[in-house]
Amino acid sequence: MDERYEVLFTPVKIGPVTAKNRFYQTPHCTGSGITWPHTLAALRGMKAEGGWGVVNTEYCSIHPTGDPGPRPAGRLWHDEDIKANALTVEAIKKHGALAGCETTHTGAFGHNRLTRMPAISPSPRPTLPKDFYGQTQVMDKTDIAAFRRWHRDGVQRAITAGFDIVFVYVGHSLTIFTDFLSPRVNQRTDEYGGSVENRARLTREVLEETMEVADGKAAVAIRFCVDELIDGDGITAEDGRAVVEMLAEVPDLWDVNAGGPDDMATSRFEKEGWEEPHIAFVKQMTSKPVVGCGRYTSPDGMLAAVKKGVVDLVGCARASIADPFLPNKIREGRTDDIRECIGCNICLSSHSLNTPLRCTQNPTMGEEWRRGWHPEVIPAKGASEQILVVGAGPAGLEAARAAGQRGYRVALAEAGTELGGHLNALSRLPRLNEWARVRDWRVGQIQPMANVEVYLDSPMTADQVLEFGADHVAIATGATWRKDGVGHYHVRPIPGADKSHVISAGEIMAGAPVAGPVVIYDDDRYAVGPALAEMLREAGHDVTIVTPAPLISHWSDNGFDQHRVQSTLVDLGIPIIAGHAVTAIDDGQVQIAGVFGEPDRRLNAATVVLVAMRQAEDGLYAELTADRVKLEVAGIRTLTRVGDCLAPGLIAEAVFAGHDWARGLDGPERPMLPFRIEQVPADFEPPLPSSAGS
């Protein structure tokens, strides 16, 4: 280990327990929770195996009035839930890490779709727009007393399950405690409203009670947002400082952050350590250890946060997902092997879409139990020898890397002059530069492999593939952007899309000349359209962006940064026309129409950029499969399309496809269901509730 990093491996005492090092996996969602307990336990256990000193759960609901469903989260509503949580505790402690439980009540932000109980809040609030229509139940003094009892019970269940750390969760603008603390939500006039001391009263009461319940059997952490960073009536920096001063010595650990939900900002908008200016004061106000986050991804960034005295423990969620073995790699002097998070928030999007966690950098994430995948260990090669991968984009790079790790002789043929495929152009767009880490890590892993040969500027013909002598061939030739406007909205080409001033997203990224004014038609609804608009605006062009979706970059809402994308375009003075589609293109103009029947209108456009679907580049595959006899004669046992060549999509899915292909080489025929599932046995008959609301 580089001696500079020794301080990161110093034990830290947290109340009655001690973390073996300063690597702290902050609570983060997994899309598994109580729904898939074995999937969850294996995921958390892998972090502990990788060297994290503290591994926490996601938010763990302590009562049915704080039901997070349909999003799979943790749960400790009754004693039966203890068993499922004990699986996670056992998996974490097996490797010497501390297990933390983020005991939570979501207050006004509880979905309660399963329980059908009203969400509760200090003052009247409408329910969330995507939930069932209605309003929250306002808590009276009896309700507050009941909540305090529920929290004590939840903490006791967590301790019974074996957790070393339990939480009072006052963060991310989504718990009962932030409801009370925020004047935006709390408009009470009694002793629980008004001054910051009153608004923090419930937090103080519950924190003190949690310390009593823990009673040395577990450490107590407060996870606290010190500043919501919003204009208006949010939790301000002054509020945050006042609360820390009030409670400085009460908990065993301060786990602090800033920005409310924006704490989970993508690399498009925040860089490593961005929260430090907001949280640095906390350590100066308490003798208790402090953990802070801020999308730390590199050993040097983590070290700097400790040496500057900002934190005692380095909080990481996404970095621990991208590389569960990050601490061990630092300890073993293998920092070049760390898969650095790219900050795309596909992990968070998985949770938003109610599915087990996935990661762009780490294709094994969420598959530890389901498929038995390990992020560092892969089976040795089978009977075959020579592998050919055609195309070196995300899928091809991962296919070659993983097959090389297994010990196969691999040839990676790339038609272009650089590795990376469409990632090269994509990562040169504004705000997307960190996405290049997907390419860079894989290239760095492949370079030392003597059994992997890379051929640049080497387009492959069908005859060349047949003559190569490979046992298995992966066609990873990617996809290209269509320039006819076909996408979510249009199922047929837009009239006039063949005109000379119409270019595709791919062409503009390749450097096609542009004249203003520019109209971008964005029916991709993710990152590329807004990034192109920003690039062209910065180049001095007048740009208008049109989308049939209700919002720009609509899919980004799953990763919690859609509002920042749209706000950025507004700040740049780029007109946004949502809910409209380009319906015809003429010389110098485009015709647009509202998707709900609004009348047609025309916009001036010297250049029209179409950002819609991509077309799989599968011509080589089609040519090779046209004559199966030739494949047999050539000795090619399998010919497989992987990644965008099969189905254009997220970078994460391309990387997963390449990895999955490499793991399956020389294996048995894939079953219909290639992973294990968790479900309640059909003969399971739990007892009926003893009384309503108990």
Side-chain angles (χ1 to χ4, degrees):
M1 178 174 63
D2 186 326
E3 63 182 15
R4 292 181 302 143
Y5 301 126
E6 288 181 359
V7 68
L8 295 175
F9 293 88
T10 306
V12 178
K13 185 171 175 56
I14 306 172
V17 298
T18 300
K20 65 181 180 181
N21 58 40
R22 299 179 187 269
F23 295 97
Y24 181 99
Q25 181 246 276
T26 50
H28 71 75
C29 297
T30 64
S32 295
I34 200 71
T35 308
W36 295 294
H38 291 88
T39 300
L40 176 62
L43 184 155
R44 300 291 186 197
M46 194 64 74
K47 308 280 193 76
E49 183 183 340
W52 295 85
V54 179
V55 178
N56 291 294
T57 66
E58 61 266 65
Y59 61 82
C60 187
S61 175
I62 52 100
H63 191 267
T65 53
D67 168 26
R71 294 178 177 175
R75 189 178 75 195
L76 277 169
W77 292 353
H78 49 73
D79 290 349
E80 281 296 313
D81 290 336
I82 294 172
K83 300 174 185 177
N85 281 275
L87 289 174
T88 293
V89 171
E90 181 182 2
I92 293 171
K93 290 189 173 184
K94 178 181 177 181
H95 299 285
L98 298 179
C101 181
E102 190 182 44
T103 37
T104 303
H105 193 292
T106 46
F109 296 91
H111 300 293
N112 295 8
R113 297 184 198 174
L114 173 65
T115 65
R116 299 188 69 172
M117 294 179 175
I120 58 176
S121 65
S123 300
R125 292 296 301 163
T127 51
L128 298 175
K130 292 183 180 180
D131 285 325
F132 286 99
Y133 177 84
Q135 294 183 190
T136 60
Q137 171 192 333
V138 178
M139 298 171 69
D140 61 19
K141 300 292 180 60
T142 301
D143 297 321
I144 291 173
F147 167 74
R148 291 168 61 181
R149 183 178 70 253
W150 301 339
H151 199 278
R152 291 194 299 271
D153 290 346
V155 167
Q156 184 58 63
R157 290 188 182 107
I159 294 171
T160 302
F163 285 104
D164 302 293
I165 303 173
V166 292
F167 280 74
V168 175
Y169 183 15
V170 196
H172 297 115
S173 308
L174 55 71
T175 78
I176 193 72
F177 301 109
T178 54
D179 291 345
F180 271 84
L181 190 56
S182 171
R184 298 178 68 239
V185 181
N186 183 354
Q187 298 174 14
R188 300 173 74 101
T189 57
D190 62 6
E191 66 268 35
Y192 287 95
S195 68
V196 66
E197 291 79 11
N198 281 356
R199 288 182 278 119
R201 185 180 303 277
L202 182 64
T203 296
R204 175 193 285 277
E205 291 171 341
V206 172
L207 181 59
E208 291 173 346
E209 291 170 349
T210 302
M211 294 294 297
E212 292 174 5
V213 174
D215 191 27
K217 298 184 289 292
V220 175
I222 181 170
R223 194 176 197 198
F224 179 48
C225 174
V226 299
D227 186 351
E228 288 185 314
L229 301 178
I230 57 176
D231 295 329
D233 295 328
I235 299 171
T236 65
E238 291 74 19
D239 290 338
R241 185 175 289 271
V243 171
V244 173
E245 185 175 21
M246 272 188 270
L247 304 175
E249 299 301 314
V250 179
D252 296 310
L253 174 71
W254 283 89
D255 179 344
V256 292
N257 56 72
D262 275 356
D263 168 54
M264 297 167 272
T266 65
S267 60
R268 287 197 262 181
F269 298 101
E270 299 293 354
K271 300 306 177 185
E272 184 172 28
W274 73 272
E275 294 188 37
E276 288 183 8
H278 306 288
I279 66 173
F281 76 92
V282 178
K283 192 163 163 47
Q284 311 308 314
M285 298 182 70
T286 178
S287 66
K288 302 301 177 73
V290 174
V291 58
C293 52
R295 215 177 64 76
Y296 292 108
T297 64
S298 70
D300 289 339
M302 297 173 186
L303 177 64
V306 173
K307 296 194 76 171
K308 285 186 294 187
V310 177
V311 297
D312 298 290
L313 299 110
V314 183
C316 300
R318 287 168 285 186
S320 73
I321 295 168
D323 199 330
F325 277 67
L326 181 150
N328 281 357
K329 289 177 180 178
I330 297 174
R331 182 171 53 82
E332 296 164 4
R334 298 191 295 117
T335 55
D336 288 344
D337 291 335
I338 293 172
R339 282 186 301 270
E340 275 198 72
C341 167
I342 73 169
C344 65
N345 276 12
I346 293 303
C347 51
L348 180 57
S349 298
S350 304
H351 170 70
S352 297
L353 294 168
N354 307 325
T355 190
L357 192 63
R358 61 193 67 188
C359 173
T360 299
Q361 276 283 56
N362 177 12
T364 69
M365 180 52 55
E367 304 296 342
E368 299 86 356
W369 182 86
R370 295 199 329 150
R371 298 176 195 260
W373 287 2
H374 192 287
E376 302 299 314
V377 180
I378 193 167
K381 78 178 193 67
S384 301
E385 293 293 335
Q386 181 66 60
I387 306 298
L388 173 61
V389 179
V390 183
L397 283 172
E398 178 61 18
R401 185 211 64 80
Q405 184 185 359
R406 291 190 63 185
Y408 289 102
R409 285 189 292 111
V410 181
L412 176 60
E414 165 57 38
T417 57
E418 57 180 339
L419 301 176
H422 78 288
L423 268 174
N424 299 321
L426 198 62
S427 60
R428 287 192 283 264
L429 292 176
R431 305 181 186 275
L432 301 183
N433 61 296
E434 290 190 40
W435 290 20
R437 291 175 180 175
V438 175
R439 172 199 65 203
D440 296 343
W441 182 79
R442 285 161 179 82
V443 171
Q445 294 294 299
I446 287 171
Q447 284 176 339
M449 291 183 178
N451 58 318
V452 179
E453 294 183 279
V454 176
Y455 301 92
L456 292 173
D457 200 14
S458 300
M460 297 287 287
T461 66
D463 287 341
Q464 288 171 327
V465 172
L466 293 169
E467 293 167 2
F468 193 84
D471 300 296
H472 302 278
V473 179
I475 305 297
T477 43
T480 53
W481 289 93
R482 295 179 65 143
K483 60 179 297 183
D484 57 8
V486 171
H488 290 281
Y489 188 81
H490 289 297
V491 297
R492 293 179 179 82
I494 298 173
D498 56 349
K499 291 184 176 295
S500 61
H501 66 298
V502 179
I503 58 177
S504 70
E507 289 171 325
I508 193 170
M509 284 189 275
V514 175
V518 181
V519 171
I520 296 176
Y521 175 58
D522 181 15
D523 200 18
D524 178 59
R525 311 187 185 200
Y526 186 27
V528 171
L532 291 175
E534 187 171 349
M535 179 185 75
L536 293 172
R537 187 71 187 92
E538 290 175 349
H541 295 291
D542 290 330
V543 181
T544 299
I545 188 164
V546 178
T547 179
L551 301 167
I552 287 296
S553 194
H554 197 209
W555 198 86
S556 294
D557 193 47
N558 292 308
F560 286 19
D561 67 349
Q562 186 283 326
H563 65 294
R564 282 195 166 193
V565 175
Q566 188 149 340
S567 296
T568 297
L569 299 187
V570 170
D571 290 343
L572 289 171
I574 297 173
I576 297 168
I577 304 177
H580 284 70
V582 171
T583 54
I585 302 171
D586 300 318
D587 293 335
Q589 287 190 324
V590 297
Q591 176 178 289
I592 66 172
V595 299
F596 297 106
E598 295 90 339
D600 293 353
R601 51 194 284 207
R602 289 183 171 271
L603 304 174
N604 293 329
T607 303
V608 180
V609 181
L610 299 180
V611 188
M613 285 183 67
R614 287 183 288 157
Q615 183 74 41
E617 288 293 310
D618 57 0
L620 178 59
Y621 176 83
E623 188 175 353
L624 286 165
T625 54
D627 191 337
R628 294 283 181 178
V629 174
K630 286 185 178 180
L631 293 176
E632 294 177 11
V633 172
I636 297 176
R637 295 173 54 193
T638 62
L639 174 71
T640 311
R641 289 171 294 173
V642 295
D644 288 350
C645 173
L646 176 65
L650 295 168
I651 301 168
E653 296 308 297
V655 171
F656 175 87
H659 189 85
D660 187 36
W661 174 82
R663 280 191 181 259
L665 291 171
D666 291 321
E669 183 177 348
R670 176 158 302 195
M672 180 186 71
L673 188 65
F675 49 82
R676 293 192 287 179
I677 60 173
E678 300 188 61
Q679 65 184 45
V680 177
D683 59 354
F684 176 68
E685 295 185 11
L688 291 171
S690 57
S691 62
S694 63

